[in-house]
Amino acid sequence: AQSVTQPDIHITVSEGASLELRCNYSYGATPYLFWYVQSPGQGLQLLLKYFSGDTLVQGIKGFEAEFKRSQSSFNLRKPSVHWSDAAEYFCAVGASGGTALIFGKGTTLSVSS
Amino acid sequence: GAVVSQHPSWVICKSGTSVKIECRSLDFQATTMFWYRQFPKQSLMLMATSNEGSKATYEQGVEKDKFLINHASLTLSTLTVTSAHPEDSSFYICSALHQGGINEQFFGPGTRLTVL
């Protein structure tokens, strides 16, 4: 079955500390992978995406993610978290950029001062 | 560029009434749009795929007679929740597929529906 697993429901990180959000996927075809961020009551903002090529992908707001095919993972990282990064983060997978996406359940990020 | 809007951003209605939600691609054409539903603290679940000029494709378990989708133009898809009930209260998000060489979908800001 096709699915996305985000093992961490809630993570709290101190401001200035590094962050890693985990994402594992199960997909029958070559996956197109995405990370989105959602603030309360808002829509989704694309942080980054991976289609092919370099497995380390740079995104907006200082985020990056690494695709590891052998581990079926696409973890999101940021070297130094800012208070404004507190939000809900979703990992998603699709057959291409143009197909409906399968989303993980999301990880809530809290940032402590 | 690649902006998708939704209207209204929030709506409160009485049980038994119908509500229409619009999804518009403002600066690009989209032959395909997707409708997702998100319950509080939950992930997004695909409800249906909307194709311009043809019938929508609904996911298993989604009542097509209750959630009417019309994709009448290349920039507009509408979702009508008919005879809404409190259990239909949710956050509805659409996305539009950009086919101008980008092959990427862009999400609207969502519509919060509350049925009393």
Side-chain angles (χ1 to χ4, degrees):
Chain A
Q2 300 173 347
S3 64
V4 175
T5 301
Q6 294 181 245
D8 304 304
I9 297 174
H10 191 178
I11 284 181
T12 299
V13 176
S14 299
E15 188 169 19
S18 63
L19 168 71
E20 182 170 31
L21 302 181
R22 296 182 290 166
C23 173
N24 293 96
Y25 65 90
S26 174
Y27 204 71
T30 300
Y32 285 66
L33 294 154
F34 306 82
W35 274 100
Y36 290 90
V37 61
Q38 184 182 37
S39 297
Q42 302 296 311
L44 300 176
Q45 181 180 23
L46 178 66
L47 288 175
L48 48 77
K49 58 184 183 283
Y50 173 77
F51 290 169
S52 65
D54 192 344
T55 57
L56 184 61
V57 181
Q58 302 297 320
I60 63 171
K61 303 184 179 184
F63 286 93
E64 67 176 27
E66 185 171 12
F67 171 61
K68 292 185 178 180
R69 185 185 300 276
S70 62
Q71 298 178 21
S72 297
S73 69
F74 188 56
N75 294 348
L76 181 71
R77 300 193 292 251
K78 186 170 184 178
S80 178
V81 169
H82 188 262
W83 64 267
S84 60
D85 293 323
E88 189 80 13
Y89 291 80
F90 291 98
C91 180
V93 66
S96 71
T99 57
L101 300 180
I102 299 169
F103 286 84
K105 290 183 181 282
T107 297
T108 302
L109 172 65
S110 297
V111 180
S112 61
S113 57
Chain B
V3 178
V4 176
S5 70
Q6 282 185 241
H7 179 80
S9 55
W10 58 270
V11 56
I12 302 173
C13 69
K14 293 182 179 179
S15 185
T17 61
S18 295
V19 174
K20 180 184 286 188
I21 302 170
E22 295 183 345
C23 177
R24 293 182 184 273
S25 54
L26 299 185
D27 49 5
F28 65 97
Q29 294 185 332
T31 57
T32 301
M33 294 184 178
F34 303 103
W35 286 96
Y36 296 85
R37 182 174 181 177
Q38 184 181 29
F39 290 104
K41 301 295 185 181
Q42 298 290 318
S43 184
L44 284 79
M45 299 296 293
L46 179 67
M47 297 176 64
T49 301
S50 170
N51 295 297
E52 188 268 336
S54 63
K55 291 183 178 180
T57 303
Y58 291 83
E59 294 300 296
Q60 190 173 9
V62 177
E63 300 176 60
K64 59 182 180 182
D65 294 331
K66 181 169 188 61
F67 298 99
L68 301 179
I69 292 173
N70 185 6
H71 195 153
S73 77
L74 289 173
T75 59
L76 174 64
S77 176
T78 60
L79 168 67
T80 301
V81 184
T82 62
S83 186
H85 291 284
E87 58 266 30
D88 299 323
S89 299
S90 190
F91 195 54
Y92 293 87
I93 300 178
C94 72
S95 70
L97 176 59
H98 195 310
Q99 292 181 307
I102 298 179
N103 197 29
E104 180 178 341
Q105 60 188 285
F106 296 87
F107 286 82
T111 296
R112 171 74 60 194
L113 170 63
T114 301
V115 184
L116 302 177

